[in-house]
Amino acid sequence: MLAASARPEAVQSLTLIEPSPLRTAAAHPVVAAALERIRAAFGAAEGAGREMSPEEYLRRSTEPYGLPVPEPTPRMLRAVRAAMRERPVWDAQLPLGPPARATMPKVVVNGTWESAPPEYREFTGRALAACGEYLAEAIGARHVRVSGACHTPHQDRPEQVNAVLTRLWQS
């Protein structure tokens, strides 16, 4: 998305799979509510003036959304430490004008989330679907929902996503 915004003339097609720049789509009420909840979960520790531990970050990244907290193995904690140093994707403000004006074929792909745990589907699935709908409309992309897939439709249903990509590239 950033490349398509910076140099749309150099991009031949654009596919966004389960996009999650919630801040960019915050005009959508479902996305705005999700963004508020995420900021509350992560902002509390920062507001209290203490640095969050990797274990706490892992807990706050899963528990509030109805997911079990993964075992804090050394490998998992190393990955969490890396994620903690990155700017959160949900807080990214992406420029929509250049990809909206670009003529390349565009598609946004979301899962339908029916196989996800109910709390995860209700919060994360709804927010990401709304974000995908918002972005697709904003940039003039086709929005595709992949049945039976959650946050990784390209892994959950590769044959369906590959068919979407084939149609996109043939256009």
Side-chain angles (χ1 to χ4, degrees), residues 46-128:
E46 294 167 2
R50 68 171 175 87
E51 193 170 314
M52 198 180 306
S53 71
E55 292 83 0
E56 178 70 7
Y57 187 92
L58 185 59
R59 188 185 67 72
R60 289 181 188 218
S61 298
T62 53
E63 248 179 16
Y65 313 110
L67 295 173
V69 179
E71 183 182 346
T73 63
R75 181 179 178 161
M76 175 62 73
L77 293 176
R78 185 179 70 218
V80 169
R81 279 189 214 74
M84 291 173 68
R85 289 190 300 267
E86 298 172 356
R87 178 178 181 182
V89 67
W90 49 264
D91 197 35
Q93 181 66 48
L94 302 176
L96 299 178
R101 291 186 295 275
T103 59
M104 89 277 280
K106 300 165 260 193
V107 67
V108 176
V109 179
N110 284 101
T112 55
W113 288 74
E114 60 268 271
S115 61
E119 287 179 63
Y120 188 44
R121 178 179 56 242
E122 180 61 25
F123 176 68
T124 305
R126 284 188 67 224
L128 291 180

